[in-house]
Amino acid sequence: QVTAKTAFLFILPQYNVSVPTADGELVQYHYGLKDLVTILFYIFIAIILHAVVQEYALDKINRRLHLSKVKHSKFNESGQLVAFHLTSMVWCLYVVVTEGYISNPRSLWENYPHVYLPFQVKFFYLCQLAYWLHALPELYFQKVRKEEIPRQLRCITLYLVHIAGAYLLNLTRLGLILLLLQYLAEFFFHMARLVYFTDENNEKLFNVWAVVFVVTRLFTLTLYILVIGFGLPRVENQALDPERGNFFSFLFNNILFRMSVLLLVCLFQASVMWRFIHFQLRRWREYWNEQSSRKRAAAGAKQQAKPLKRDSGYHENGVVKAENGTSPRTKKLKSP
């Protein structure tokens, strides 16, 4: 029985409480230091699943494709992220639909702070934190190139800050919707990379990703404006109360602070869109350069294929001879 209690500490979320409702009591959860033990257990689970996907799926595909070292590393990265983003996207969509966060957008800020979480919401956040923390040692296990490490560290840090911030500041509902939008765009991007590595002439999925990326950025910006600009300033409890989980809603009563936060959000989204536009322009420029080089090569091949006009017969010592060996010139007849 003691072993079972210890096992539950690693496997199941802790800090469950019974919250009275109109239909009776509902078991919900809040966070604490014991969550670190649960996250540690699921870090090891994530490492095992990472190895399974690599061994039984990605390595077999790589043997058939015979990719270079650079493409091999990028293929493994995108393959792992496609599996993770697809799983997380489906799971997150199921959570937000069953909890009613999409059908009732007001629930994103109503009754803030959202200290007590349903089981599936807390478990989702713990698994997300475990996955992105497991990505740190995987940089060593996967022997990632030194040039790629800063970029991947920046990506992992941004995800950890976003997920941990939403979890600790009791903004889990908003965080779920933002993660769903982000994972949707990332899934199409890494799926397009996988298709491109298998067939370099196939870039159709990059066009699909471009559309999805722009749409998700617009939804993300709209969601920030809706929640920060209109939702949180109308919360009933505006007093600073860290014990109840209310950390900063009182700040949103100050219009200067609210506008500053929105300005920072808009600048960040603008920088993301600028990098996206720069990437698209570079890709289109490379595409048109490749098309023009192909046209020049095809035109050169046509010119070489044209038959050269030659005189009848053949040349011998600078004299044109007929095929039967006689000279093609007409001979002068001698006068009798």
Side-chain angles (χ1 to χ4, degrees):
Q1 190 175 7
V2 177
T3 308
K5 290 182 179 180
T6 306
F8 288 150
L9 180 63
F10 285 88
I11 299 173
L12 297 177
Q14 303 300 308
Y15 303 105
N16 56 317
V17 293
S18 296
V19 180
T21 61
D23 299 331
E25 290 186 349
L26 182 65
V27 177
Q28 292 192 327
Y29 297 81
H30 60 94
Y31 61 80
L33 290 177
K34 291 181 182 179
D35 290 340
L36 297 176
V37 180
T38 310
I39 291 173
L40 179 63
F41 174 76
Y42 284 101
I43 286 175
F44 291 114
I45 297 296
I47 292 174
I48 295 172
L49 293 176
H50 190 114
V52 169
V53 173
Q54 185 69 40
E55 178 70 22
Y56 293 99
L58 299 179
D59 286 346
K60 291 183 178 180
I61 298 174
N62 277 320
R63 292 191 197 101
R64 295 180 180 180
L65 296 177
H66 304 289
L67 299 174
S68 63
K69 289 184 178 180
V70 176
K71 289 184 177 180
H72 179 83
S73 176
K74 292 182 178 180
F75 185 88
N76 288 336
E77 177 192 358
S78 292
Q80 293 287 347
L81 289 175
V82 162
F84 168 72
H85 286 139
L86 179 61
T87 305
S88 298
M89 189 172 57
V90 174
W91 188 4
C92 186
L93 181 62
Y94 173 79
V95 172
V96 298
V97 169
T98 54
E99 295 297 329
Y101 300 152
I102 293 182
S103 59
N104 182 20
R106 289 180 177 271
S107 61
L108 298 179
W109 62 81
E110 282 183 344
N111 301 321
Y112 178 84
H114 307 131
V115 179
Y116 299 112
L117 308 175
F119 171 83
Q120 59 181 355
V121 174
K122 176 166 182 173
F123 189 58
F124 177 83
Y125 270 93
L126 294 180
C127 291
Q128 292 293 311
L129 289 171
Y131 179 85
W132 290 109
L133 286 171
H134 112 280
L136 294 173
E138 285 293 344
L139 294 177
Y140 173 77
F141 295 147
Q142 294 292 321
K143 297 179 181 179
V144 177
R145 295 185 304 128
K146 292 182 179 180
E147 297 82 3
E148 292 291 322
I149 289 178
R151 178 185 64 82
Q152 295 199 24
L153 280 176
R154 185 166 59 250
C155 177
I156 294 169
T157 303
L158 287 174
Y159 273 111
L160 285 174
V161 169
H162 170 82
I163 297 170
Y167 184 64
L168 296 175
L169 296 176
N170 301 312
L171 288 169
T172 50
R173 299 179 183 181
L174 176 62
L176 283 172
I177 305 296
L178 294 177
L179 274 180
L180 178 60
L181 295 172
Q182 178 67 19
Y183 285 165
L184 179 63
E186 289 292 312
F187 169 76
F188 278 101
F189 173 72
H190 290 288
M191 195 67 197
R193 287 181 71 182
L194 290 181
V195 174
Y196 176 76
F197 289 140
T198 56
D199 182 10
E200 293 187 355
N201 295 321
N202 190 349
E203 297 187 1
K204 294 180 180 179
L205 267 182
F206 277 111
N207 298 328
V208 177
W209 164 71
V211 175
V212 173
F213 182 86
V214 173
V215 172
T216 53
R217 290 303 99 191
L218 291 175
F219 271 103
T220 299
L221 185 59
T222 304
L223 199 61
Y224 271 118
I225 295 174
L226 182 65
V227 175
I228 295 176
F230 299 98
L232 289 177
R234 299 181 181 181
V235 173
E236 294 180 0
N237 185 11
Q238 295 288 348
L240 177 64
D241 192 358
E243 294 183 357
R244 296 185 58 188
N246 194 346
F247 294 101
F248 58 88
S249 64
F250 71 99
L251 294 173
F252 289 99
N253 277 333
N254 188 337
I255 188 172
L256 181 62
F257 176 81
R258 188 162 69 246
M259 295 303 295
S260 300
V261 172
L262 289 176
L263 179 61
L264 289 175
V265 170
C266 292
L267 289 176
F268 177 76
Q269 295 298 323
S271 66
V272 172
M273 286 299 299
W274 169 250
R275 289 196 297 270
F276 168 77
I277 293 171
H278 180 71
F279 170 78
Q280 291 296 325
L281 291 176
R282 185 181 62 186
R283 188 168 72 90
W284 289 338
R285 186 166 55 249
E286 292 175 354
Y287 172 77
W288 288 115
N289 289 337
E290 183 180 356
Q291 291 296 319
S292 61
S293 63
R294 287 181 179 179
K295 289 180 180 180
R296 287 195 298 267
K302 286 182 179 180
Q303 289 180 356
Q304 292 179 358
K306 287 182 178 180
L308 297 176
K309 293 183 179 179
R310 294 182 178 180
D311 296 333
S312 61
Y314 64 95
H315 291 75
E316 182 178 334
N317 296 327
V319 180
V320 179
K321 299 290 184 180
E323 293 182 357
N324 57 2
T326 61
S327 174
R329 296 178 182 177
T330 57
K331 294 183 177 180
K332 292 183 180 179
L333 296 175
K334 294 180 180 181
S335 59

